Amino acid sequence: MIAENGRLTAAGHERWPVCRVGMTGDTGMKDFNWAMLEFFAHAGRNSGTANMFAYRALDCVISCETRLLIVDDLQFLRFRSQSGTELSNHFKFIANEFPVMLLFIGYDLRDKGLYLDPQLERRVTRLGLKPFDIDNEGGRAQWRRLLLSLEQRLALADKYPGMLADNLSDDLWARSTGHIGSLMTLIRRGCQRAIRTGEERLTRELLAQVKLDEAAERLRKEWEELFRSGRKTTMPAGSRRTVR
């Protein structure tokens, strides 16, 4: 939207197409409205009532021509509590009054109580996100596309095409078991180490020095043995490893 319409709106305001709010276990309605104002760096976020915060946030959304409101980590919200019920009702207010699409992100939201309110249940369209899978050609191709996309964004002086997608594909899966959180942590920490050491590229030896979360490390040896024995691979048919 910024590329098509410019950084500023016709009225001269900054264009912010997306607003994101992260949830915690005790987020209430006023906290949520404050978080929207904090995202926009609104000067009136330090004092006022929940309703005042809401209408200031609405003004920001309209002025900045925001079209998407992302509510992240929704699984932390206790829907069965009083504050959870109030916030659930507040979501309906936002859906009615704010000219935005609401995107809720979280896991096990049905069990957490998102759909306890019949009105909210009728407003929410569930979009599932399947885990990565390397047991079929389509899954392996999807994994490779992800790594190719990540390669392009790495700020390493000595990176090269195929560094992740060709040479480190199996290693990255073995270390992350296809979980995006573990994968991104591994790559981020690997890049930090590569910059500090002056290597400026990711290698198997460098990544082996990076410690990861307990769940990823627990399954690491099992996956490494599967790849070593040839019983598993992340490489789609026809792809070749790059030698550097």
Side-chain angles (χ1 to χ4, degrees):
M1 290 180 66
I2 292 174
E4 291 179 359
N5 303 310
R7 285 293 318 173
L8 301 179
T9 68
H13 301 293
E14 290 185 0
R15 189 186 308 279
W16 291 39
V18 179
C19 174
R20 176 199 171 274
V21 174
M23 304 297 292
T24 64
D26 59 353
T27 300
M29 187 168 67
K30 186 174 182 179
D31 300 317
F32 184 86
N33 294 339
W34 174 87
M36 286 192 290
L37 292 180
E38 177 71 11
F39 184 90
F40 288 107
H42 193 285
R45 64 189 182 277
N46 295 321
S47 63
T49 65
N51 286 335
M52 292 169 65
F53 284 179
Y55 284 103
R56 289 170 189 167
L58 175 58
D59 180 63
C60 287
V61 164
I62 294 174
S63 298
C64 298
E65 298 187 4
T66 303
R67 294 294 178 264
L68 178 64
L69 173 57
I70 299 175
V71 182
D72 204 357
D73 289 325
L74 195 62
Q75 72 275 0
F76 292 142
L77 182 62
R78 295 192 291 267
F79 288 96
R80 294 176 175 85
S81 66
Q82 180 178 348
S83 62
T85 300
E86 292 175 351
L87 199 49
S88 179
N89 290 330
H90 190 53
F91 290 150
K92 289 181 285 185
F93 164 77
I94 291 176
N96 288 335
E97 303 298 331
F98 284 50
V100 296
M101 173 181 287
L102 267 169
L103 176 62
F104 296 131
I105 300 176
Y107 62 88
D108 293 334
L109 295 181
R110 178 173 294 281
D111 293 338
K112 301 292 184 181
L114 174 63
Y115 304 117
L116 289 175
D117 187 330
Q119 294 184 32
L120 189 59
E121 183 181 26
R122 289 290 181 179
R123 294 168 182 259
V124 175
T125 300
R126 182 179 178 275
L127 302 173
L129 187 62
K130 295 180 180 180
F132 287 103
D133 178 18
I134 59 169
D135 288 334
N136 56 72
E137 195 66 13
R140 290 189 286 271
Q142 185 181 47
W143 175 251
R144 179 176 174 79
R145 286 194 297 270
L146 170 66
L147 297 185
L148 288 171
S149 176
L150 292 176
E151 275 183 12
Q152 298 174 9
R153 291 164 170 78
L154 296 185
L156 295 175
D158 201 25
K159 71 176 184 178
Y160 56 90
M163 183 178 68
L164 300 185
D166 292 336
N167 289 352
L168 295 173
S169 181
D170 288 353
D171 298 272
L172 291 172
W173 180 278
R175 295 295 306 277
S176 68
T177 59
H179 288 78
I180 192 69
S182 298
L183 174 67
M184 297 306 296
T185 298
L186 176 60
I187 292 177
R188 184 170 60 251
R189 292 177 181 174
C191 287
Q192 291 171 349
R193 182 178 291 271
I195 293 170
R196 287 200 308 268
T197 61
E199 192 163 353
E200 289 293 341
R201 65 166 62 183
L202 297 181
T203 64
R204 183 178 293 107
E205 294 74 21
L206 184 143
L207 291 179
Q209 302 174 51
V210 177
K211 294 186 179 297
L212 267 187
D213 57 272
E214 180 61 26
E217 292 293 356
R218 179 167 45 85
L219 299 172
R220 174 182 178 179
K221 290 184 178 180
E222 178 183 344
W223 277 104
E224 287 178 340
E225 177 56 32
L226 289 171
F227 290 133
R228 190 180 302 112
S229 65
R231 286 176 287 170
K232 291 285 187 180
T233 182
T234 61
M235 304 296 289
S239 58
R240 296 182 297 177
R241 301 187 187 279
T242 303
V243 179
R244 287 294 295 267

